[in-house]
Amino acid sequence: MRVHRTDHARNFAVLPNCVLQNRHLSYTARGLLVDLLSRPDGWREDGRHMADTSPQGRGAVRKALKELAAAGFYRVEKVRLTDGTFRTQTHVYDTPQLVAPDVTRPVAGAATAGPGDTPPVKDGGKEPSLPAAQAERTAPQVEQAQQAEPDTQAPQAPQAEPDAQTREAVAMLYRVIRPEPRLRLGAAEAAALAPLVAQWLERGSSAQDLAYALLPGLPARVHSAVGVLRSRLERKMPPAEVPSEPSSQRRTEPSKPWYAECAECHDPVPEPGICRTCAGLGVREPAPGAFAAIAALAATGAARARTALDAARQGPAVVASMAG
């Protein structure tokens, strides 16, 4: 028999051979165990749903679960929460656990557990662990840890109330991301992003500017909404406006004319002062052909004015024909 294997980079599970090659379990039980171990932690699925989504019926799935429970791979327990309610928890192991954790076994001489005892109370803040990891902690280590813990807890300092700027920034952030269900944030995450949003608001940005920067182009599945928002708020931060100099402090220089005028007759001269005529050094002579050009321009304008007056006297039809 030749076995062909493929290197997988994602979507695979690593299982011990004691699960896959356990000949004391039926193939149905082993296949069901492999399916359960490939699911992520926190997966919720009961036996009826397993049977409805597989070719085997409910009887076969029920029998396979009993096999796994007897072999120590599968366990169902009821725990009582702090509010008095009960909840059913299912545990699946990749190595057989013949002794269930937190279960008191009777000893010879006297019964240590009776039918009236209540199930153990579950601590919601404690992370679950395998019994093997619990057994590694010996009794001296437990006593040493209990002695190191103080009897009384130090009083926690009251949390400071957020200022008005932080509350405004948090409210603006929630208002912007409300249309996008992939960007759900908790109160602590929104408070952590509030300083960045406050910088946007200080630089004159509006809710529409934030929406254009945060919402478009999101991936199909957002694994960390706070990470995506922080990255976009930092990378797309608008530039800070340079404070303009007050008008009272600006240096105003007098505008210089592009020409100079004579101090007496106000005629243009090359340099400031008086012209040659006012200084008595000569008589101003017009440029050659200047009078002829002025006379021709005046004659042309007069001829046009006479033509327009004659057309107005003759009627509007002549004026329209001239305009066309």
Side-chain angles (χ1 to χ4, degrees):
M1 178 179 64
R2 299 187 59 185
V3 180
H4 302 273
R5 295 183 176 86
T6 305
D7 293 334
H8 300 281
R10 60 181 61 184
N11 296 330
F12 67 96
V14 179
L15 299 176
N17 291 333
C18 64
V19 174
L20 305 176
Q21 301 176 4
N22 193 337
R23 295 302 176 92
H24 298 285
L25 296 176
S26 62
Y27 287 102
T28 303
R30 275 183 278 173
L32 183 58
L33 179 58
V34 170
D35 179 81
L36 294 176
L37 291 175
S38 65
R39 303 296 182 179
D41 192 12
W43 183 266
R44 300 183 64 87
E45 191 176 26
D46 54 2
R48 289 179 297 180
H49 187 265
M50 298 178 193
D52 295 338
T53 56
S54 64
Q56 285 80 7
R58 295 185 179 181
V61 172
R62 190 183 304 110
K63 182 180 179 181
L65 292 176
K66 289 183 179 180
E67 288 185 46
L68 296 177
F73 292 98
Y74 184 85
R75 182 170 57 88
V76 179
E77 67 176 3
K78 287 186 178 181
V79 295
R80 187 180 65 180
L81 304 180
T82 55
D83 56 354
T85 58
F86 290 86
R87 178 178 297 179
T88 302
Q89 280 196 346
T90 304
H91 300 271
V92 183
Y93 304 94
D94 57 354
T95 55
Q97 307 293 326
L98 299 180
V99 178
D102 299 333
V103 176
T104 304
R105 294 294 179 180
V107 296
T112 58
D117 293 344
T118 57
V121 179
K122 177 178 176 59
D123 185 6
K126 182 179 180 181
E127 297 182 359
S129 59
L130 290 176
Q134 296 178 357
E136 293 177 357
R137 194 175 187 182
T138 59
Q141 294 176 349
V142 175
E143 294 178 359
Q144 184 179 2
Q146 292 178 354
Q147 293 177 1
E149 294 178 356
D151 297 335
T152 59
Q153 296 182 356
Q156 297 181 356
Q159 297 181 356
E161 292 291 335
D163 54 358
Q165 184 180 13
T166 303
R167 291 196 299 268
E168 181 184 0
V170 171
M172 176 67 72
L173 181 60
Y174 276 127
R175 191 181 309 117
V176 170
I177 65 175
R178 184 180 303 168
E180 181 53 64
R182 290 171 290 182
L183 298 178
R184 297 303 183 194
L185 293 179
E189 295 174 335
L193 297 177
L196 293 174
V197 180
Q199 293 183 22
W200 278 70
L201 298 180
E202 291 176 357
R203 300 184 181 187
S205 301
S206 60
Q208 188 176 5
D209 298 333
L210 283 169
Y212 286 154
L214 301 180
L215 300 183
L218 290 174
R221 185 176 180 182
V222 178
H223 297 279
S224 177
V226 63
V228 172
L229 293 176
R230 177 179 286 108
S231 175
R232 294 193 173 193
L233 287 172
E234 293 176 351
R235 290 186 295 103
K236 299 183 179 182
M237 178 79 67
E241 297 182 359
V242 179
S244 59
E245 185 178 2
S247 58
S248 60
Q249 300 180 1
R250 295 176 183 173
R251 297 181 179 180
T252 58
E253 297 181 358
S255 60
K256 299 180 179 180
W258 60 276
Y259 65 92
E261 294 182 355
C262 176
E264 298 293 337
C265 63
H266 300 288
D267 286 347
V269 292
E271 298 178 356
I274 59 177
C275 61
R276 293 176 60 84
T277 304
C278 295
L281 300 178
V283 180
R284 184 182 298 107
E285 297 180 357
F291 289 108
I294 295 173
L297 184 60
T300 303
R304 290 181 179 179
R306 284 200 248 3
T307 303
L309 290 174
D310 294 340
R313 295 190 188 96
Q314 294 178 6
V318 177
V319 176
S321 62
M322 293 178 61

